[in-house]
Amino acid sequence: MSIRLKGFMQFAASGVVFSLMLWWFIQQRAANPDFSLPGGPFGLLVMMVPGGFALAGLVQSVTGVPFADLSARWNALKGWQRGLMGFGVFASCLLLLFGGLVAYGYLTSGG
């Protein structure tokens, strides 16, 4: 089985678990706005574990590199390459974050 397929399967399985946990939490909060997870902030950390596995699977699926080998490949890059790629990832994340916030504000304000 290829690493991309393994990564996709990890992404899909962990993503489903994370989505179900998030859906459950949203349903509880919608039914009772005072609802809080058992364990407080540690409950959220437990919810993040499948999300982390899903993201690791996504990285493996996109790059075709086992997650354990990514650190060695990253360190093999020249400094300017790491800087450029790091800045690109950072800028992409900001774009997704603020784009999502703008879309949320637009959709909840009535258009």
Side-chain angles (χ1 to χ4, degrees):
M1 180 182 310
S2 74
I3 190 66
R4 290 184 190 267
L5 182 58
K6 284 182 184 179
F8 179 75
M9 289 173 51
Q10 179 179 342
F11 170 68
S14 299
V16 166
V17 171
F18 179 73
S19 298
L20 288 173
M21 292 173 79
L22 191 61
W23 176 80
W24 172 81
F25 178 68
I26 290 170
Q27 293 301 315
Q28 298 301 317
R29 289 285 291 189
N32 179 11
D34 294 329
F35 174 78
S36 62
L37 284 175
F42 295 107
L44 286 176
L45 291 174
V46 170
M47 287 179 66
M48 284 190 244
V49 171
F53 279 115
L55 290 176
L58 180 63
V59 167
Q60 289 182 115
S61 179
V62 169
T63 63
V65 177
F67 195 74
D69 294 345
L70 282 177
S71 177
R73 290 189 180 211
W74 178 261
N75 289 334
L77 293 173
K78 293 180 177 138
W80 68 269
Q81 291 171 322
R82 285 188 297 222
L84 193 61
M85 288 181 70
F87 179 75
V89 169
F90 177 74
S92 298
C93 290
L94 283 180
L95 183 68
L96 285 172
L97 174 70
F98 290 120
L101 288 173
V102 168
Y104 176 78
Y106 178 76
L107 292 173
T108 57
S109 68

